[in-house]
């Protein structure tokens, strides 16, 4: 069964696959629906993680 997660940038549900954009930040892995959302997160990760 594939892992599902919420994209922290746009809120879309994402299913993990080998091609799913992802990044590790402060010991946690975040999955993204697209490279554009990953780029927005990378530019300002604290904006998307401060309430977690």
């Amino acid at each position: 069964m594939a892992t599902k997660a919420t994209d922290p940038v746009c809120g879309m549900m994402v299913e993990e696959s080998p091609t799913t954009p992802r990044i590790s930040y402060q010991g946690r892995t975040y999955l993204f629906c697209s490279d554009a959302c990953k780029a927005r997160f990378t530019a300002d990760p604290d904006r998307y993680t401060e309430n977690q």
Side-chain angles (χ1 to χ4, degrees):
M1 181 173 270
T3 301
K4 291 186 180 182
T6 302
D7 182 319
V9 176
C10 70
M12 183 177 186
M13 286 301 297
V14 180
E15 190 169 302
E16 184 177 18
S17 77
T19 60
T20 304
R22 70 191 74 221
I23 193 168
S24 291
Y25 179 71
Q26 294 184 341
R28 182 170 174 194
T29 300
Y30 294 90
L31 303 178
F32 303 93
C33 68
S34 66
D35 288 328
C37 279
K38 179 182 174 184
R40 288 178 62 190
F41 182 92
T42 301
D44 189 6
D46 291 332
R47 175 180 178 185
Y48 302 103
T49 61
E50 64 186 16
N51 292 326
Q52 294 182 359

